[in-house]
Amino acid sequence: MANQDNSRKSITIENLEAAFAGESMAHIKYRYFAKLAREAGADDVAKIFEDTADQEVMHAFGHLDLLYPKTQLTPAKSLEIAIEGETYEYTEMYPKFRHLAIEEGNHAAVAEYDEQIAESREHAENFKRTLEKAAKRFAALAKVEERHANHYQNALNSLKVA
């Protein structure tokens, strides 16, 4: 994850990343099981899966609090991390998985990976546009703040002269 030097991660960071991945997968898996249980008319079973899925999210957030400390994370940094992750998915991860699925003749997986490549690219582009808009907004605000600061400085200077 981003707050660590990727060339040398500690075992604890690697374990936190693995725990985060496991809790995240459990959340989605339990949501899926709940959906199937509800479709089968087992609402009580679905509710247990949904309640547990909610707890898995909180576990994953706890791991993220350690991997991405709040004091080190800004909205812009979050967007950069998201762009990096989505770009990795559509440029490396899914193309590699797709290639292996082709070799195994798993056409359903190839189609799934093709969809994910397109969606990951779209997500990365959305995050990039959002980051660019935010940068422009902050640049404009910086100019306004500079103008205010100059105005106050001029007023202060005129008081000193008088």
Side-chain angles (χ1 to χ4, degrees), residues 59-115:
H59 299 163
F61 281 1
H63 302 321
L64 285 175
D65 285 342
L66 296 172
L67 292 167
Y68 296 106
K70 189 189 308 185
T71 57
Q72 299 173 14
L73 209 54
T74 63
K77 182 67 178 168
S78 298
L79 286 165
E80 290 169 357
I81 292 168
I83 292 166
E84 180 182 337
E86 296 291 339
T87 301
Y88 166 74
E89 288 178 3
Y90 80 81
T91 61
E92 295 182 43
M93 185 182 80
Y94 285 124
K96 179 181 172 185
F97 293 171
R98 183 184 189 279
H99 173 76
L100 296 172
I102 288 172
E103 285 183 358
E104 291 182 351
N106 189 332
H107 303 293
V110 171
E112 172 67 15
Y113 295 142
D114 284 342
E115 260 185 54

Side-chain angles (χ1 to χ4, degrees), residues 2-158:
N3 68 334
Q4 297 295 316
D5 178 1
N6 286 337
S7 63
R8 188 173 176 162
K9 289 182 185 173
S10 77
I11 295 296
T12 299
I13 294 300
E14 290 178 0
N15 288 342
L16 283 167
E17 290 175 352
F20 167 70
E23 299 292 352
S24 299
M25 285 189 285
H27 165 79
I28 297 301
K29 185 179 357 176
Y30 296 158
R31 289 281 173 208
Y32 180 70
F33 290 166
K35 176 182 168 261
L36 296 181
R38 200 167 301 286
E39 287 174 4
D43 288 346
D44 54 334
V45 174
K47 178 80 170 107
I48 289 171
F49 278 125
E50 290 165 348
D51 289 346
T52 306
D54 289 344
Q55 293 173 4
E56 301 295 357
V57 167
M58 298 316 295
H59 299 163
F61 281 1
H63 302 321
L64 285 175
D65 285 342
L66 296 172
L67 292 167
Y68 296 106
K70 189 189 308 185
T71 57
Q72 299 173 14
L73 209 54
T74 63
K77 182 67 178 168
S78 298
L79 286 165
E80 290 169 357
I81 292 168
I83 292 166
E84 180 182 337
E86 296 291 339
T87 301
Y88 166 74
E89 288 178 3
Y90 80 81
T91 61
E92 295 182 43
M93 185 182 80
Y94 285 124
K96 179 181 172 185
F97 293 171
R98 183 184 189 279
H99 173 76
L100 296 172
I102 288 172
E103 285 183 358
E104 291 182 351
N106 189 332
H107 303 293
V110 171
E112 172 67 15
Y113 295 142
D114 284 342
E115 260 185 54
Q116 295 307 313
I117 289 169
E119 288 188 23
S120 294
R121 178 179 290 125
E122 186 178 317
H123 294 163
E125 289 169 1
N126 285 340
F127 288 136
K128 286 178 187 173
R129 280 193 298 274
T130 301
L131 183 60
E132 289 168 2
K133 283 181 188 174
K136 287 179 184 175
R137 189 172 55 236
F138 288 129
L141 287 173
K143 287 181 183 177
V144 169
E145 293 301 325
E146 182 181 7
R147 198 171 35 232
H148 290 168
N150 289 339
H151 177 72
Y152 295 136
Q153 188 62 52
N154 290 338
L156 183 61
N157 291 343
S158 66

